[in-house]
Amino acid sequence: MPDFATLPYQLVWPFGLALTWMLGEILYARTGLPRISIYGIAGFLFGKVAANYLAPADAEIFLLLANLAFGLV
């Protein structure tokens, strides 16, 4: 039987990616800035918010991956 208490923590990634993508597209359409810039800004905003909802061990990994992704950009 699935553990429903941890379900919100497991859904942070998919919802976060979808929300960041939608926010990026909306801001791109309104500002005309390059998509990569908008995605970077949205990712920074989402990263700080999402880290608060993750378990402490997962939050460190999440922020490490976020920093790595920004470094690749």
Side-chain angles (χ1 to χ4, degrees):
M1 185 159 173
D3 184 16
F4 292 110
T6 62
L7 188 60
Y9 296 116
Q10 295 171 355
L11 292 177
V12 168
W13 280 95
F15 283 133
L17 289 174
L19 287 173
T20 303
W21 175 55
M22 288 188 291
L23 177 65
E25 288 297 319
I26 291 169
L27 289 176
Y28 168 74
R30 294 200 178 175
T31 64
L33 289 171
R35 281 188 173 102
I36 193 72
S37 300
I38 297 296
Y39 291 150
I41 292 168
F44 272 126
L45 295 175
F46 169 70
K48 288 295 186 184
V49 172
N52 294 331
Y53 291 101
L54 292 172
D58 293 338
E60 290 179 22
I61 295 170
F62 177 79
L63 291 176
L64 175 68
L65 290 174
N67 289 330
L68 178 66
F70 184 68
L72 290 174
V73 171

